[in-house]
């Protein structure tokens, strides 16, 4: 998918995404963790985490809600950007840092991350496509290999807030 097309799609979902993030943060994770994404090709019970990361250029802290899966005790997120030809900014920022924070429902953790490869990557990709089938079309719409990121929670931290 061309970046311009991805940008238009992203803009159309911006209000929804902002509301989802606000709900997740304002509720301390009691709401926003599970969403019904059936109307966009997803599942009725699609799990979402929040990641908090530092901008590689700005040094600012950002929070992003993402669909996640659990594989062998690791949290898996997908840098799909809706099938855009470029990686999402959160992934580029993550690649510049060894650590980030992740929140699942009402529990938050400092976490390390890695990218799977080989057979492991294949199996994790298949699993994530099962959780959210639109990932298949996203990959088909771009020549880039959509990254998978596996997070390992290390130690508890305070739940995220809007400030």
């Amino acid at each position: 998918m061309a970046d311009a097309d991805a940008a238009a799609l992203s803009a159309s979902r911006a209000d929804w995404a902002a509301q989802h993030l606000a709900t997740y943060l304002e509720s301390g994770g009691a709401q926003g963790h599970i969403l019904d994404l059936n109307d966009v090709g997803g599942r009725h019970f699609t799990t979402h985490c929040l990641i908090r990361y530092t901008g590689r250029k700005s040094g600012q802290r950002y929070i992003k809600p993402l669909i996640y899966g659990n594989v062998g005790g690791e949290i898996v997120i997908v840098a799909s950007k809706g099938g855009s030809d470029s990686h999402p900014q959160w992934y580029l920022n993550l690649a510049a840092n060894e650590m980030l924070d992740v929140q699942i429902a009402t529990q938050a953790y400092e976490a390390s991350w890695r990218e799977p490869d080989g057979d492991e990557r294949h199996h994790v990709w298949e699993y994530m496509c099962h959780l959210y089938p639109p990932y298949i079309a996203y990959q088909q719409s771009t020549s880039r290999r959509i990254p998978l990121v596996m997070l390992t929670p290390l130690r508890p931290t305070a739940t995220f807030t809007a400030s």
Side-chain angles (χ1 to χ4, degrees):
M1 173 185 299
D3 285 344
D5 294 334
L9 179 63
S10 179
S12 72
R13 294 181 179 168
D15 288 342
W16 177 87
Q19 182 58 44
H20 176 217
L21 177 60
T23 298
Y24 210 127
L25 292 172
E26 289 167 7
S27 71
Q31 297 176 9
H33 172 240
I34 298 173
L35 295 178
D36 180 352
L37 297 184
N38 193 51
D39 61 337
V40 293
R43 306 273 184 218
H44 288 290
F45 297 99
T46 304
T47 55
H48 290 76
C49 67
L50 298 177
I51 61 169
R52 182 171 52 202
Y53 57 92
T54 303
R56 65 193 182 285
K57 296 176 185 175
S58 68
Q60 291 182 5
R61 299 286 276 170
Y62 298 96
I63 299 174
K64 179 85 174 162
L66 296 167
I67 293 170
Y68 80 92
N70 182 323
V71 175
E74 290 180 286
I75 301 158
V76 182
I77 54 178
V78 180
S80 66
K81 196 177 176 184
S84 170
D85 290 330
S86 61
H87 293 311
Q89 289 298 311
W90 69 260
Y91 173 77
L92 298 174
N93 287 319
L94 189 64
N97 293 288
E98 292 181 18
M99 303 291 288
L100 74 155
D101 297 324
V102 60
Q103 181 173 327
I104 294 177
T106 60
Q107 302 294 310
Y109 303 89
E110 292 178 23
S112 62
W113 67 274
R114 67 183 184 88
E115 293 186 56
D117 57 14
D119 285 344
E120 180 188 29
R121 187 195 191 286
H122 174 76
H123 292 299
V124 172
W125 176 254
E126 292 291 318
Y127 174 70
M128 293 307 293
C129 289
H130 171 74
L131 290 182
Y132 189 67
Y135 287 144
I136 297 166
Y138 294 173
Q139 183 59 79
Q140 292 170 344
S141 71
T142 184
S143 60
R144 75 180 172 97
R145 185 176 188 183
I146 294 177
L148 298 173
V149 177
M150 300 183 76
L151 310 175
T152 300
L154 300 173
R155 60 195 142 271
T157 190
T159 56
F160 301 178
T161 60
S163 55

